[in-house]
Amino acid sequence: MTIVYTLTPELRIKLKEPFGSLIQGTPEETMGILKRIVKEEKPPKIVSVGDIVSGNLHKHNVHPQLTIIDNISLRDQPMPKEATVEKTVQVINPQGTITQEAMLVVKEALEGNEHIHIVVKGEEDLLTLIAVLYAPENAFVVYGQPYSGIVVIKVTSEKKALVQEFLNAMKSSKS
């Protein structure tokens, strides 16, 4: 396992802020709003990062092409039956890091069209950045904002550039 990026304390604070549009409310409210936005904008791909938001998306018939979870929050409640999964991939990604393996798996998943679940041993949060980096323009990357709602990132060249700035600010173990 090669760790490529490690989160710095300064960046940890910055990344607590929503990285996209915050939709506040209960799961029913946020999913209703998201479904309307998806219907209007027809994103080429939807990626969900996090157990609870991924479970809620599937439960409300919004099926991400890529789901990145760590099974921590869903331990007692499995992914809903509605979840369309063609392939499940396991990766190791320790807390506060981004591994080379995790980056590659996210990139490959986004290059194809299969419905893929990536199950992370460790922490999936920072893989949101990698999903934005490799998702096509206008794709949606959705993650949960604790005690608030969900965040929807519409992938743009500006968002990709910002992700690259974040990655450049992380401690890199690339030689």
Side-chain angles (χ1 to χ4, degrees):
M1 174 189 64
T2 307
I3 292 174
V4 182
Y5 298 103
T6 304
L7 191 59
T8 63
E10 303 80 37
L11 209 48
R12 182 179 301 276
I13 293 165
K14 197 180 273 189
L15 290 174
K16 290 221 183 284
E17 294 297 313
F19 189 56
S21 301
L22 175 63
I23 301 173
Q24 293 181 293
T26 65
E28 286 68 30
E29 292 166 337
T30 59
M31 290 301 128
I33 294 167
L34 179 63
K35 282 176 93 161
R36 194 176 67 241
I37 296 169
V38 166
K39 192 175 178 182
E40 287 169 10
E41 299 208 18
K42 297 176 181 50
K45 291 187 191 273
I46 299 173
V47 178
S48 63
V49 182
D51 298 54
I52 293 171
V53 73
S54 297
N56 282 328
L57 282 166
H58 285 293
K59 197 165 103 184
H60 289 87
N61 290 313
V62 178
H63 300 291
Q65 185 255 329
L66 175 60
T67 302
I68 306 172
I69 59 175
D70 63 9
N71 279 333
I72 299 297
S73 299
L74 283 181
R75 222 175 260 155
D76 301 324
Q77 51 184 64
M79 193 59 74
K81 290 183 192 71
E82 297 89 352
T84 316
V85 184
E86 294 170 324
K87 186 174 172 187
T88 299
V89 181
Q90 307 232 350
V91 295
I92 295 171
N93 194 73
Q95 183 177 2
T97 69
I98 299 172
T99 64
Q100 188 171 16
E101 172 192 22
M103 285 180 69
L104 187 62
V105 167
V106 170
K107 181 177 189 273
E108 286 175 355
L110 287 166
E111 287 171 349
N113 287 313
E114 285 182 298
H115 284 268
I116 297 177
H117 281 245
I118 297 175
V119 179
V120 177
K121 184 173 182 187
E123 185 179 68
E124 83 277 24
D125 299 3
L126 289 176
L127 297 183
T128 302
L129 298 175
I130 303 307
V132 171
L133 191 63
Y134 292 124
E137 295 259 330
N138 300 315
F140 287 176
V141 178
V142 184
Y143 67 91
Q145 186 73 14
Y147 313 110
S148 207
I150 61 171
V151 176
V152 179
I153 304 165
K154 183 174 181 176
V155 177
T156 61
S157 55
E158 292 81 12
K159 286 290 185 195
K160 288 176 180 278
L162 192 53
V163 164
Q164 198 55 63
E165 282 178 34
F166 287 153
L167 295 176
N168 292 343
M170 287 184 183
K171 291 182 194 150
S172 174
S173 53
K174 279 186 177 174
S175 41

